[in-house]
Amino acid sequence: MPSLLYNRKASAALASLGAGGRLPHAILLEGPAGSGKHVAAAIIAQYALCTASEKPCGHCAGCMKVEKRIHPDVRYYGVPEGKKEFPIDLVREIRQDAYIAPNEGVCKLYILEQAHAMNAAAQNALLKSIEEPPAHARFVLLCENRSMLLPTILSRVTAIELEVPSVEQCAQALGTLASEASEEERQAAAAGAGGNIGRALALLGSAKPSKAAADARHLREMLVFGDRYQALKLLAAYDKDRQGLLDLLPLLQEGFAQAALARYRPSGGQEERMTNRLTCEQAICAAEAAAQAAEQARRNVSIPLLCACMVERIKAAVGG
Ligand SMILES: [Zn+2]
């Protein structure tokens, strides 16, 4: 179950949100990168969708689906890959969707990442939903700095502030989150990441090749040299593992991006076969297809569907 191990103030604020039995319609989570906004958003979603009497229990079907990011009533929206702003079109999409009843929970949650990247028009469009929300809709806005939001939005949200943990708090949290690492590794990662737990976990992960990294490498091989059925078979293991897929797809994208760059500065070695096989343009198209799939995975698009589309696009791009 996710928890804000280090952030007592925010944990208390979150607990009091659920205490009345009804969540506010709009909640703002404010804090710098690495302060745990996504973890806090997941806790809120669990409060809202937990089916046990003691919420959030962390192990009912609702809680588990939220944690794996596969709950059909939790939608994630953010700045699309390669864009700088949170598009107004997305806000309109959210507004329309909010009038559709939940699929299986008692309410529907819209988690808006980088809400500070909405321009005034987008914020005004969102305001209408926050002012008169459909009864079952809840909005969770994530932002780094509330001064970038309109006062009209701020006056209608319940704000919770999150702080980046200290290096010691980070190392302590890693004791639970990365118990397989040694004490020294955890201390070094916490210091290297300046207390940012997400970054520290990434640092620890980079020391040892992860399953996602291994699968990304195999998948890239299959997509370029093998057939689509092998690739789809590998991806089928992720049908019920959205978080795993969210770890895998950026690595696949990065692999293709590296292959594109390598056309300009050949480094030889084991990547040579890949570089010789792909033109720069083919590698870029493949990287873009992986990026788009990652974006769809974040937005709760059906996993088999987004995987099939990505495989077709990459096969078409690389000519297989
Ligand atoms: Zn539960």
Side-chain angles (χ1 to χ4, degrees):
M1 187 179 139
S3 82
L4 292 166
L5 297 157
Y6 56 90
N7 213 324
R8 293 231 180 90
K9 212 170 79 188
S11 297
L14 285 175
S16 70
L17 283 182
R22 261 181 83 85
L23 279 177
H25 276 286
I27 299 169
L28 173 71
L29 298 171
E30 181 196 24
S35 55
K37 297 189 291 292
H38 290 89
V39 174
I43 294 173
I44 292 170
Q46 288 190 331
Y47 269 125
L49 295 163
C50 178
T51 51
S53 51
E54 234 2 70
K55 297 176 202 300
C57 72
H59 43 253
C60 71
C63 285
M64 297 294 282
K65 283 184 182 175
V66 169
E67 185 159 4
K68 291 188 186 146
R69 287 177 71 121
I70 54 170
H71 201 298
D73 294 319
V74 185
R75 307 280 169 95
Y76 294 86
Y77 294 87
V79 177
E81 205 81 34
K83 296 263 164 61
K84 289 205 172 87
E85 282 196 338
F86 192 115
I88 191 167
D89 289 349
L90 265 190
V91 178
R92 293 195 181 115
E93 195 182 310
I94 293 165
R95 270 174 59 190
Q96 280 180 355
D97 190 84
Y99 285 96
I100 303 169
N103 288 284
E104 53 187 61
V106 289
C107 62
K108 244 171 155 177
L109 276 100
Y110 296 89
I111 298 182
L112 279 52
E113 296 164 346
Q114 303 133 300
H116 53 263
M118 282 186 201
N119 64 23
Q123 289 190 42
N124 275 318
L126 178 68
L127 187 62
K128 289 182 192 152
S129 297
I130 295 183
E131 276 175 334
E132 291 168 40
H136 54 255
R138 299 286 182 281
F139 300 91
V140 181
L141 280 59
L142 277 52
C143 89
E144 288 182 9
N145 190 337
R146 73 175 79 185
S147 68
M148 293 165 88
L149 296 175
L150 295 174
T152 41
I153 294 262
L154 291 176
S155 68
R156 283 174 178 83
V157 298
T158 302
I160 296 178
E161 217 176 304
L162 295 134
E163 290 155 4
V164 176
S166 70
V167 170
E168 288 94 271
Q169 287 169 324
C170 175
Q172 229 171 45
L174 292 178
T176 315
L177 299 170
S179 51
E180 73 287 354
S182 72
E183 173 74 33
E184 285 114 57
E185 284 174 325
R186 293 199 294 264
Q187 285 291 349
N196 178 325
I197 295 179
R199 213 174 296 149
L201 281 171
L203 285 175
L204 284 172
S206 66
K208 304 179 195 103
S210 65
K211 178 181 181 296
D215 277 357
R217 213 168 32 245
H218 286 145
L219 189 55
R220 196 156 54 96
E221 284 280 316
M222 288 169 186
L223 288 166
V224 176
F225 300 107
D227 64 55
R228 66 197 66 201
Y229 301 104
Q230 289 177 299
L232 287 169
K233 205 171 142 195
L234 186 151
L235 285 164
Y238 288 87
D239 274 1
K240 294 195 163 55
D241 182 9
R242 192 171 290 269
Q243 187 53 55
L245 196 65
L246 284 167
D247 293 338
L248 168 74
L249 292 174
L251 296 169
L252 182 67
Q253 178 194 352
E254 178 64 22
F256 280 121
Q258 289 299 336
L261 283 175
R263 296 293 300 186
Y264 294 108
R265 19 166 234 240
S267 58
Q270 48 174 312
E271 286 291 302
E272 203 174 358
R273 187 162 155 257
M274 181 73 63
T275 313
N276 290 340
R277 168 67 178 74
L278 293 180
T279 65
C280 186
E281 200 179 4
Q282 286 175 326
I284 289 171
C285 285
E288 280 173 358
Q292 193 190 36
E295 171 62 24
Q296 289 169 334
R298 277 191 285 276
R299 292 177 51 193
N300 271 1
V301 172
S302 142
I303 290 176
L305 181 69
L306 74 91
C307 287
C309 289
M310 178 185 74
V311 169
E312 281 309 316
R313 279 190 64 192
I314 294 180
K315 276 309 224 182
V318 306

